[in-house]
Amino acid sequence: MSERPEYPTALGASSRHAITLLGTDLARDVMGSVGFGELAFWLATQRRPSPGETRVFEAVLAALADHGFTPTAIVTRLTYLSAPDSVQGALAAGLLGGGSRFLGVTEDCGRFLHEVLVAAGELPTDDAGWDALALETVTAQRAAGRYVPGLGHHVHKDGDPRTPRLFEIAAEEGVHGPHLALFAAIGRVHPQVLGRTLPLNGAGVCGAALADLGLPLELLRGFALLARTAGLIGQLAEELRHPVADDVFLSVDLNNRAVAPDPYEPDSLGGRHG
């Protein structure tokens, strides 16, 4: 008889009388003792965060939870309007919209900063050194025709209020590391290259902070989605009491305008134009 396969995990496991999680008794040692933000960090890293790390992590979750009627919130409300029997479908619809324009910037910025730091090798030790590295980085991005992730915001053009607060919290807790240092330097020097001043946005600073906490870069978007899940639940809760989804739907449906067809024509390289 062949041996039974084993699937090792340090996460949740159950026996007849107990549930263990991360090597602890779930009911006795976790429930009522560990906050959800701390637990989320612990699950992702399999190490228990310090109180300071937990504070910064939860500040990031708060910063990303809800930003009003963004596309993720609107699609959640509209999906619930279409399928009120599927709360999970409405939440999933909103989460699936987390990409390069909304929420995904958190991961994009964290990864970008990390790549620059790895390529730099020896890290600067003062603001002048960080500014020099940032200037080189922004200049290279501009020359390549690429944006700097985390730079600019469509609403907070004079400064994103979340950004200085997260810098402040990270400094207070002693977890202001190289990713945040480089991001701050980009904020100082980019006008020299771009010829204008853009704000460091909240999603970007969240990515820098998460990277400084040592969280897996591959999961940074996941933490943004974790935060937004709470916000989308709030959107649905408000939709139940004060619905607007039907008004949004009818505003589009009753104001559509018929136009002549615009046939697709491939260009000579097999792409499209028009």
Side-chain angles (χ1 to χ4, degrees):
M1 180 181 295
S2 62
E3 294 184 2
R4 295 175 61 182
E6 293 185 351
Y7 303 95
T9 178
L11 301 178
S14 302
S15 66
R16 183 166 182 172
H17 301 292
I19 303 173
T20 59
L21 183 64
L22 297 161
T24 64
D25 184 281
L26 174 64
R28 185 183 67 243
D29 301 325
V30 178
M31 296 172 60
S33 300
V34 180
F36 182 71
E38 180 182 0
L39 181 61
F41 188 113
W42 196 357
L43 287 167
T45 62
Q46 297 196 14
R47 70 172 180 86
R48 193 164 184 175
S50 69
E53 289 174 323
T54 299
R55 184 180 179 222
V56 171
F57 182 67
E58 291 186 344
V60 167
L61 297 182
L64 298 175
D66 184 77
H67 300 161
F69 285 115
T70 60
T72 59
I74 294 170
V75 74
T76 290
R77 290 190 184 230
L78 288 174
T79 302
Y80 185 75
L81 172 68
S82 181
D85 52 316
S86 181
V87 169
Q88 71 274 23
L91 292 173
L95 295 177
L96 288 171
S100 59
R101 292 188 177 179
F102 290 87
L103 295 177
V105 175
T106 297
E107 180 176 318
D108 296 342
C109 187
R111 282 178 174 269
F112 171 74
L113 295 171
H114 191 75
E115 289 170 1
V116 173
L117 294 172
V118 169
E122 186 175 351
L123 299 183
T125 58
D126 56 23
D127 283 351
W130 284 113
D131 286 357
L133 178 58
L135 187 60
E136 178 184 341
T137 299
V138 177
T139 300
Q141 288 293 103
R142 178 65 178 270
R146 295 190 295 262
Y147 292 110
V148 176
L151 192 57
H153 196 282
H154 68 289
V155 174
H156 305 299
K157 297 185 182 299
D158 299 318
D160 190 320
R162 297 168 296 174
T163 301
R165 180 57 177 151
L166 195 51
F167 275 121
E168 180 181 38
I169 294 170
E172 289 172 355
E173 300 301 338
V175 289
H176 187 290
H179 299 85
L180 283 169
L182 176 57
F183 195 54
I186 288 173
R188 293 192 296 268
V189 307
H190 75 270
Q192 300 177 42
V193 181
L194 303 184
R196 56 180 176 146
T197 300
L198 299 172
L200 296 175
N201 63 53
V205 76
C206 285
L210 292 175
D212 272 346
L213 290 175
L215 291 161
L217 297 175
E218 299 85 353
L219 298 181
L220 297 191
R221 188 173 301 188
F223 297 120
L225 295 175
L226 172 66
R228 186 51 57 92
T229 300
L232 295 180
I233 290 173
Q235 291 284 336
L236 288 177
E238 186 173 77
E239 182 68 19
L240 289 171
R241 300 190 305 275
H242 306 289
V244 299
D246 197 49
D247 291 338
V248 173
F249 158 61
L250 291 176
S251 176
V252 177
D253 187 56
L254 298 179
N255 292 285
N256 67 76
R257 177 173 59 87
V259 298
D262 180 19
Y264 166 78
E265 296 181 10
D267 61 25
S268 59
L269 297 178
R272 63 174 300 169
H273 61 269

